[in-house]
Amino acid sequence: MKDIAVMYHYVKTNDWKGIVSLEPEIFEQQIDILNKSYEIVSPDDLRKPRGLKPRCVLTFDDGTKDQYTIAFQIMKNKGVPGYFTVMSSPLLDEVVPIFHLVHIVLSFHSDEEIWGDLRGRYDVDEVPQLSGIYSYEKDIYRRYNKYAFNFFLTKDQARDYLQEKAIKVFGTSKNLIDQYYVSKNEFMEMKSQGMTIGVHCAHHTPYCGDANIFYKDEIEPCGLFLKNELNITPEWYTPAFGGGEQYKAMFRDLEPILREHGYKAGFATTPGKNNGLSNFWLNRYDCIHVPPFKSIEN
Ligand SMILES: [Zn+2]
């Protein structure tokens, strides 16, 4: 068990206060460090016998624009491959998942302003005393807002408010999608430059407990997008939220369905090493915690 996979989300200068991102320079340093001990490969290379070095797959979730404008350009310059995934619902239906709407709204508006909006629109008087789980947040309004969006408001209430607010940042819904996500043509370019493109999800929901329904709702539509729009046979899968709370049931029940549809592996969020494709579900280290990067932090 020697190979590893590293999980990346945003790779961009940290000028958005609503997200956690990896600085581009740190990303470059990580590639250099990984290159010393590992062979950075495409997922498909994991099917081949291992060479002298253990292998490392760089994996990217959520398909945000920075992955094309920053991560992909760095990787192209350094000549290393990677594995990028598509979330199809923003590209097909202009529907942005709630967690991305939260990232946008918290990055472009003050928490005090958002809390003021919420108080004007909904009965959120109970939120301050309920919001203790976010006491690690220094900004008291950030604490209230996070609790309100994640636990207190209904999904529809949160979406109504966040969508309107997020679209205003970009002018139109189409602009938001164009500026926030890797486009179809950009994915095509990445593919032509040797990057592997896989399935992340349709709407970014955690595993629902029924593998057939989950496949139909979250995986098949994205797989069809890959086939029809990008001319790619989907073979690699990365579950949203690593599957979520029911990930163990997902590992068990979804694997046969995915194998039946031609998928070769799923990239999970459980940390740990891998041995080629001996397991269907591959462990991944978050780029913030992966062991070889300790030397950067120290
Ligand atoms: Zn995701």
Side-chain angles (χ1 to χ4, degrees):
M1 300 283 270
K2 279 182 176 172
D3 304 324
I4 62 169
V6 184
M7 170 171 63
Y8 292 93
H9 287 91
Y10 296 100
V11 179
K12 68 193 286 295
T13 305
N14 209 345
D15 52 0
W16 284 25
K17 62 188 174 62
I19 66 169
V20 177
S21 69
L22 188 74
E23 290 289 333
E25 306 80 69
I26 305 289
F27 179 60
E28 289 197 56
Q29 290 172 24
Q30 290 190 346
I31 292 176
D32 294 342
I33 289 173
L34 285 166
N35 253 331
K36 287 181 190 146
S37 316
Y38 295 89
E39 190 186 347
I40 298 178
V41 299
S42 299
D44 212 47
D45 294 323
L46 297 175
R47 301 162 80 190
K48 302 171 190 162
R50 189 184 288 136
L52 290 174
K53 289 178 183 175
R55 294 160 295 187
C56 169
V57 180
L58 305 179
T59 76
F60 298 82
D61 294 16
D62 299 336
T64 51
K65 195 65 137 191
D66 52 286
Q67 295 178 359
Y68 171 78
T69 54
I70 298 170
F72 166 59
Q73 309 302 332
I74 290 172
M75 292 161 77
K76 207 167 60 171
N77 287 338
K78 289 188 177 289
V80 298
Y83 162 60
F84 294 82
T85 55
V86 174
M87 171 161 61
S88 58
S89 142
L91 301 175
L92 284 171
D93 313 316
E94 288 188 12
V95 176
V96 177
I98 297 259
F99 81 107
H100 273 169
L101 293 173
V102 171
H103 291 174
I104 294 167
V105 170
L106 293 184
S107 290
F108 288 91
H109 296 276
S110 80
D111 278 278
E112 190 172 1
E113 178 194 338
I114 294 161
W115 178 241
D117 286 352
L118 292 182
R119 288 189 65 197
R121 196 187 271 234
Y122 303 115
D123 179 4
V124 289
D125 290 350
E126 285 173 46
V127 167
Q129 77 240 33
L130 292 171
S131 62
I133 57 159
Y134 290 118
S135 54
Y136 63 86
E137 291 285 355
K138 285 187 206 98
D139 183 331
I140 191 119
Y141 300 112
R142 165 84 34 129
R143 213 183 278 180
Y144 300 166
N145 291 333
K146 280 181 92 164
Y147 189 84
F149 290 130
N150 292 326
F151 295 104
F152 193 79
L153 298 174
T154 66
K155 284 216 162 62
D156 285 344
Q157 286 174 330
R159 174 169 290 282
D160 281 352
Y161 171 76
L162 290 165
Q163 204 159 269
E164 187 186 317
K165 198 91 177 164
I167 288 172
K168 270 188 195 149
V169 172
F170 293 89
T172 64
S173 171
K174 190 182 175 303
N175 283 350
L176 188 163
I177 303 296
D178 288 348
Q179 291 175 40
Y180 204 74
Y181 293 104
V182 179
S183 71
K184 184 181 123 179
N185 288 339
E186 288 159 349
F187 274 124
M188 295 288 275
E189 184 191 335
M190 291 159 85
K191 176 194 157 193
S192 74
Q193 296 286 330
M195 300 296 159
T196 300
I197 313 296
V199 167
H200 191 30
C201 59
H203 314 91
H204 213 280
T205 60
Y207 182 63
C208 62
D210 184 312
N212 286 300
I213 291 176
F214 189 71
Y215 181 81
K216 282 262 171 277
D217 289 351
E218 282 299 312
I219 300 170
E220 192 171 55
C222 187
L224 285 173
F225 179 87
L226 259 65
K227 271 188 199 161
N228 299 338
E229 305 287 333
L230 305 177
N231 198 23
I232 290 170
T233 304
E235 294 182 316
W236 309 98
Y237 171 59
T238 301
F241 303 119
E245 284 179 5
Q246 301 188 70
Y247 75 95
K248 283 184 181 161
M250 182 194 74
F251 283 3
R252 188 187 61 224
D253 298 340
L254 195 58
E255 177 183 334
I257 297 173
L258 288 167
R259 283 192 187 275
E260 190 190 318
H261 286 92
Y263 287 84
K264 297 196 171 76
F267 288 82
T269 51
T270 44
K273 299 194 172 184
N274 301 308
N275 183 14
L277 294 179
S278 62
N279 289 326
F280 182 84
W281 298 103
L282 302 178
N283 298 309
R284 285 191 297 169
Y285 290 109
D286 191 291
C287 63
I288 312 293
H289 306 299
V290 63
F293 303 155
K294 287 254 161 63
S295 53
I296 291 174
E297 289 158 19
N298 295 341

